[in-house]
C-alpha cells in the first residue's frame, strides 16, 4: 500500500489571504468555458484509464481554473480520485511519485476553501515533464 504517514500536513494560513478582500489572490481571473474544462477533464481521465500518468502540470493547471467554478468542491473530489488512481498506477510499476504531485495531494487534503486553492497551487513548483506511459 501507499504510506501517507510521511506526507507533511500543513494547516497554516496562506500569505495574502488573511480575509482582506482588497488583497485578492494575486492571480489573474481566467474565464474558461465549462465545455472546455469538461473536455480537459475527460482527456485527463482517459489518460489515467489507459495507464498513462498525466503530467502534474496539467493537473495543476486544471485545478487552478476549476476552483473558480460554482462546483469547485466536486471538481476537487474528482481530482483527488484521479490522483489516487495515478498513485495506484505508480505503485504497481514501482515508480517514484513526483514531489509536486505529493504537494498537490497534501494541499487538497488540507480542506482549504476552494477560493484559496488557486493561490496555493500557484506556489507549487512543477518541473516540466511529459506524461508517463506505463508498461502493461
Amino acid at each position: 500500500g501507499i504510506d501517507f504517514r510521511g506526507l507533511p500536513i500543513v494547516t497554516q494560513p496562506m500569505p495574502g489571504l488573511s480575509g482582506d478582500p482588497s488583497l485578492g489572490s494575486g492571480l489573474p481571473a481566467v474565464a474558461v468555458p465549462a465545455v472546455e474544462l469538461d473536455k480537459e477533464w475527460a482527456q485527463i481521465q482517459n489518460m489515467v484509464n489507459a495507464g498513462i500518468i498525466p503530467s502534474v502540470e496539467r493537473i495543476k493547471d486544471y485545478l487552478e481554473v476549476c476552483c473558480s467554478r460554482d462546483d469547485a468542491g466536486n471538481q476537487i473530489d474528482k481530482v483527488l480520485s484521479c490522483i489516487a488512481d495515478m498513485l495506484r498506477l505508480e505503485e504497481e510499476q514501482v515508480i517514484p511519485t513526483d514531489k509536486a504531485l505529493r504537494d498537490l495531494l497534501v494541499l487538497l487534503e488540507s480542506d482549504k476553501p476552494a477560493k484559496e486553492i488557486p493561490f496555493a497551487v500557484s506556489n507549487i513548483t512543477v518541473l516540466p515533464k511529459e506524461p508517463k506511459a506505463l508498461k502493461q
Side-chain angles (χ1 to χ4, degrees), residues 53-119:
I53 297 176
S55 70
V56 179
E57 185 172 15
R58 192 169 187 179
I59 302 292
K60 177 184 169 185
D61 292 344
Y62 176 81
L63 267 174
E64 287 177 329
V65 175
C66 78
C67 286
S68 64
R69 291 177 52 167
D70 292 336
D71 65 341
N74 292 336
Q75 300 300 319
I76 291 169
D77 289 342
K78 288 189 332 188
V79 171
L80 278 169
S81 176
C82 180
I83 290 173
D85 292 341
M86 292 167 62
L87 292 173
R88 273 189 221 99
L89 289 171
E90 289 178 344
E91 180 183 25
E92 290 170 1
Q93 297 294 318
V94 192
I95 297 172
T97 301
D98 190 289
K99 181 187 179 322
L101 184 62
R102 291 191 314 256
D103 292 344
L104 280 176
L105 180 60
V106 169
L107 171 65
L108 296 177
E109 287 290 329
S110 70
D111 293 329
K112 286 193 180 307
K115 66 180 182 178
E116 292 181 14
I117 289 180
F119 181 76

Side-chain angles (χ1 to χ4, degrees), residues 9 18 35 39 44 46 77 118 130:
I9 304 300
S18 59
V35 173
K39 194 169 159 182
I44 291 170
N46 287 339
D77 289 342
E130 293 295 317

